[in-house]
Amino acid sequence: MEEIKIFLLDKGLKPNLIGFDYISKAIELIVYDKMPTNKITRNLYPKIAKIMNVSSNSVNRAIDYCIKSSGFKISASQMIIFYSIIFKVFY
């Protein structure tokens, strides 16, 4: 979803990193497919990995790297949940 990518760009995430696409997909699954937000690394990351044809561990590392490289000091799970809620409310 293009709106999610624009939203993430506005928040300062770097689009040239692979994790950017994974975060975008995570928010899309939570917002549009009603994926539960509990146990993100156990439920959501494997689903993203299957869609993107990579390992769940790769998804985890790429998301963490994208967040840290963008200068955020928040866990991946917290960011995904927080941005999903903001996106639901304002978009």
Side-chain angles (χ1 to χ4, degrees), residues 2 15 18 24 41 46 54 56 66 68:
E2 200 61 34
I18 295 170
S24 176
T41 54
V54 296
S56 181
C66 181
K68 288 181 178 121

Side-chain angles (χ1 to χ4, degrees), residues 28-91:
E28 180 183 328
L29 290 171
I30 291 169
V31 172
Y32 297 114
D33 293 350
K34 309 284 192 245
M35 282 283 298
T37 55
N38 61 336
K39 299 181 183 174
I40 283 183
T41 54
R42 191 170 286 172
N43 297 326
L44 188 60
Y45 286 2
K47 180 145 181 140
I48 295 168
K50 187 174 181 181
I51 292 168
M52 302 293 204
N53 201 26
V54 296
S55 73
S56 181
N57 199 20
S58 294
V59 171
N60 188 11
R61 282 193 316 263
I63 288 175
D64 284 344
Y65 182 75
C66 181
I67 290 169
K68 288 181 178 121
S69 294
S70 298
F72 292 96
K73 299 200 182 336
I74 186 172
S75 76
S77 298
Q78 290 171 329
M79 177 177 271
I80 290 169
I81 292 168
F82 180 68
Y83 281 172
S84 296
I85 292 167
I86 291 173
F87 191 81
K88 281 183 196 179
V89 171
F90 293 107
Y91 292 87

